[in-house]
Amino acid sequence: MTVHLLGAAEIRALAAELDVTPTKKLGQNFVVDANTVRKIVQVGAVGPTDRVVEIGPGLGSLTLAVLETGARVVAVEIDHRLAARLAQTAAAHGVPEGALTVIDADALQVTELPGEPSVLIANLPYNVSVPVLLHFMETFPHLQRGVVMVQAEVGERLAAPPGSKVYGAPSVKAAWYGTWRLAGTVSRQVFWPVPGVDSVLVGFHRDAVARGTEEERRRTFRLVDAAFGQRRKMLRQSLSAELGGTSAAASVVLEAAGVAPTERGEQLTVDDFLRIARA
Ligand code: SAM
């Protein structure tokens, strides 16, 4: 089987034929460079036995690069015109029948994926990249690893360690599920239209054992939101509403969890937050 990737001219022609003008609202910046999509697939170590889910396949540039490896792909696309056309594009580019399943839906609303894919590969729509990622990590425990392209600022946050300037709620929430690493930068010139921000690749691996129960996760995430909602305040203040209503009550819980009440959220690991939730 030989799959042919989309070229830049073909992508624009396809968009014109579908009457698609890329919109900011849907984060539509299409990759028009074959080397970039191949690089994403390579960083993701995608092989012929993999089952992959792609969020936002668009006109199919990255989809075809994943299918080129022989992997099977489930692709979730919100834009009906793009979703409706993808199977035809795949067939015309040498993709065998059955290798691609397209779901015409909002990725934030999807609760089932056929074939339980274990790999996520995506050039994420930038406006919803973090919520979509967290929704997928939460809803699909079969997702074991992946590589996503996001705007540089978001990628740095996702992979940030405690104590760093950009460490925030997305860093802690992502760390609930596993480890995240920056895996390369991407020039803005490979997109059409060219976005106003730089992009990075972020790789992740889910931890072998779940960190806690669903109830513990909810409680932990509430604490994380409260702590970073008032980032400059000490935890005994920022978490007082969550932990007993006063800073004195909050201090008791924090000390029981082995966390100094005078610390700030930006110094805590996800396991520290979990210990507070358990306390
Ligand atoms: N994968 C393609 C590429 O690399 O050229 C397109 C990537 S583009 C950055 C993001 C894609 O996500 C667009 O096709 C857009 O229509 C789609 N999208 C936006 N919001 C979405 C959502 N909530 N659920 C599913 N797809 C979405």
Side-chain angles (χ1 to χ4, degrees), residues 25-32 37 54-63 76-79 82 105-108 122-128 132 149 191:
K25 189 170 155 244
L26 291 179
Q28 290 176 332
N29 295 94
F30 302 112
V31 176
V32 292
V37 289
E54 182 187 5
I55 300 166
L59 293 159
S61 331
L62 181 56
T63 322
V76 184
E77 173 58 58
I78 198 171
D79 186 322
L82 299 174
D106 179 349
L108 286 165
N123 170 16
L124 289 175
Y126 286 0
N127 44 339
V128 290
V132 136
M149 179 147 65
F191 296 96

Side-chain angles (χ1 to χ4, degrees), residues 117-139:
S118 61
V119 184
L120 169 66
I121 300 287
N123 170 16
L124 289 175
Y126 286 0
N127 44 339
V128 290
S129 52
V130 171
V132 136
L133 260 182
L134 294 177
H135 171 68
F136 266 53
M137 294 307 286
E138 185 50 37
T139 312

Side-chain angles (χ1 to χ4, degrees), residues 98-244:
L100 171 68
T101 306
V102 182
I103 302 180
D104 182 345
D106 179 349
L108 286 165
Q109 304 295 331
V110 168
T111 53
E112 271 174 45
L113 292 173
E116 304 205 333
S118 61
V119 184
L120 169 66
I121 300 287
N123 170 16
L124 289 175
Y126 286 0
N127 44 339
V128 290
S129 52
V130 171
V132 136
L133 260 182
L134 294 177
H135 171 68
F136 266 53
M137 294 307 286
E138 185 50 37
T139 312
F140 306 116
H142 45 81
L143 273 184
Q144 293 303 310
R145 64 187 171 87
V147 171
V148 292
M149 179 147 65
V150 290
Q151 76 181 76
E153 193 192 312
V154 170
E156 281 156 16
R157 263 179 194 281
L158 285 171
S164 77
K165 231 163 91 189
V166 294
Y167 187 65
S171 329
V172 190
K173 291 180 180 176
W176 173 270
Y177 300 103
T179 52
W180 301 72
R181 65 177 201 290
L182 289 174
T185 54
V186 181
S187 159
R188 53 181 88 176
Q189 300 305 325
V190 304
F191 296 96
W192 169 67
V194 176
V197 291
D198 290 321
S199 297
V200 291
L201 300 183
V202 179
F204 69 88
H205 274 93
R206 187 187 288 274
D207 290 339
V209 180
R211 199 155 239 106
T213 63
E214 174 56 13
E215 173 56 25
E216 287 171 334
R217 183 195 67 77
R218 280 178 206 270
R219 247 187 285 154
T220 303
F221 280 22
R222 269 208 312 274
L223 293 172
V224 170
D225 287 333
F228 287 98
Q230 302 183 68
R231 200 187 166 92
R232 296 273 145 246
K233 292 204 173 151
M234 293 177 192
L235 292 168
R236 66 179 177 211
Q237 293 166 297
S238 59
L239 298 186
S240 63
E242 292 288 334
L243 304 177

